[in-house]
DNA sequence: GTCTATATACAGATAGAC
DNA sequence: GTCTATCTGTATATAGAC
């Protein structure tokens, strides 16, 4: 991937995590990178192509981060705490999850991008399900149900915590994990 | 409140719950109501005034719905199920929570509207805390922590379920309630 | 209270020179 | 690959007639 393209994707990702796709124009993006908007169109002919590139890259990076957790952390709680930390870091930088943000904008996404979003959430849910299955999850809930609870809980927590810049909702999710899972 | 103003707020609320404030223009809103955009400006001089009116009305309607639950439902689980149903109905109509949607757009809201959003979430959290305190909540979590878990869980669930039009995440939240609370 | 008309700014997108 | 220039559409917002 060309350096310029990568730079555009970096800055666009940051902007979308903060303000959403709708809030990012080709001109603003171009200005921040120091080129003209027509040059952005060279890399991403239409805005939907830019959205697709951002989702693909974010999904790949996120999957790599989850793999890194698998490799580095031992024990369910430590893995889940590392998972929560990804979201805490986002809130600390006043960012939302890129795919969470786009999920709010789903009505204005094309079908391909909606599918890509769905795949991101599915993969994350699968990873959580696998991790939870390693430990001793609450007997009244299946690992997948817990995974869904935590994934949507995390997205909602970051959404709400961003409103006032605090981390109360993420903290509650962290507490919930300790109640639902042992080891 | 004039009939026209109410009609504008009704249609605007619906539009924002589906596509966000950014996706709703004075022209689109005017077209749907059958007036000109300058007439919309008569009621809401600036877009931030429209946003403020929508948040205020939604907050009042939501508070009334919670009061109705208090009056009509007996028992914690029944009250919380009625609470979840509000969100399920939204997803069924392909809508997000108005304040959840605006929370995603928080970066482009002015300070007054951010505060109003925060108040909405605070009041809902308070209601949940009170309801949960009535029953026998999980001993390892304070009622307020459970309330935060459920509120952010609900917002996240509706956000994610809307991506593919299903209700898996809301279902998981409903299951979670049964594990965290007895009676 | 609603309209026509308009100001001004910005959006996404394209043609063609260099 | 990046630019200038431009098209076309739409955004928020306002002035002033009716």
């Amino acid at each position: 991937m060309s350096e310029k393209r990568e730079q555009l994707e970096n800055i666009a990702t940051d902007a979308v995590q903060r303000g959403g796709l709708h809030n990012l124009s080709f001109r603003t993006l171009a200005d921040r990178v120091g080129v003209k908007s027509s040059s952005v169109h060279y890399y991403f002919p239409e805005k939907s192509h830019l959205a697709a590139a951002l989702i693909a890259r974010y999904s790949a990076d996120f999957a790599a981060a989850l793999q890194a957790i698998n490799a580095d952390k031992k024990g369910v709680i430590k893995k889940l705490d590392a998972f929560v930390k990804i979201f805490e870091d986002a809130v600390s930088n006043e960012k939302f999850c890129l795919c969470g943000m786009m999920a709010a904008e789903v009505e204005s996404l094309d079908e391909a991008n909606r599918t890509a979003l769905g795949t991101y959430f599915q993969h994350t849910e699968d990873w959580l399900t696998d991790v939870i299955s390693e430990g001793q999850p609450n007997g009244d809930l299946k690992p997948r149900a817990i995974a869904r609870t935590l994934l949507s809980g995390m997205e909602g927590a970051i959404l709400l915590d961003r409103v006032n810049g605090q981390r109360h909702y993420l903290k509650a999710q962290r507490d919930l994990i300790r109640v639902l899972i042992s080891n």
Side-chain angles (χ1 to χ4, degrees), chain A:
Chain A
M1 179 156 62
S2 79
E3 195 193 324
K4 215 60 163 185
R5 187 190 177 95
E6 196 172 358
Q7 211 181 340
L8 286 165
E9 291 187 3
N10 284 341
I11 292 184
T13 297
D14 186 271
V16 172
Q17 285 188 255
R18 290 176 199 281
L21 194 63
H22 230 100
N23 240 338
L24 176 67
S25 70
F26 277 72
R27 286 181 179 163
T28 308
L29 177 55
D31 285 349
R32 292 199 191 154
V33 174
V35 294
K36 295 297 171 182
S37 71
S38 47
S39 295
V40 179
H41 277 284
Y42 170 77
Y43 294 101
F44 310 102
E46 298 180 20
K47 204 172 185 183
S48 62
H49 300 172
L50 173 61
L54 298 187
I55 296 170
R57 213 184 60 137
Y58 190 83
S59 297
D61 289 352
F62 203 85
L66 298 184
Q67 280 310 108
I69 291 176
N70 281 344
D72 299 347
K73 307 289 180 185
K74 296 299 164 196
V76 181
I77 296 288
K78 283 196 176 160
K79 286 180 184 174
L80 293 180
D81 276 347
F83 178 80
V84 175
K85 189 169 185 303
I86 296 176
F87 289 80
E88 283 178 340
D89 289 346
V91 170
S92 296
N93 292 311
E94 297 173 325
K95 292 187 199 177
F96 193 6
C97 164
L98 180 107
C99 292
M101 182 63 89
M102 287 199 184
E105 301 177 291
V106 68
E107 209 204 38
S108 49
L109 293 181
D110 63 25
E111 201 47 44
N113 281 328
R114 287 183 200 194
T115 302
L117 268 195
T119 302
Y120 164 82
F121 290 120
Q122 189 61 55
H123 282 168
T124 308
E125 183 188 308
D126 289 346
W127 181 86
L128 280 168
T129 303
D130 288 346
V131 167
I132 291 162
S133 300
E134 287 175 31
Q136 278 116 40
N138 182 295
D140 297 325
L141 292 172
K142 291 181 187 164
R144 183 159 299 275
I146 298 178
R148 285 181 179 157
T149 292
L150 293 184
L151 178 55
S152 60
M154 214 65 64
E155 294 285 347
I158 194 170
L159 178 72
L160 268 52
D161 274 334
R162 246 167 61 87
V163 172
N164 49 27
Q166 296 182 321
R167 270 163 291 185
H168 293 153
Y169 292 99
L170 278 169
K171 172 70 167 56
Q173 289 293 323
R174 212 187 258 279
D175 293 342
L176 176 66
I177 288 172
R178 279 164 174 69
V179 170
L180 291 182
I181 289 156
S182 307
N183 174 18

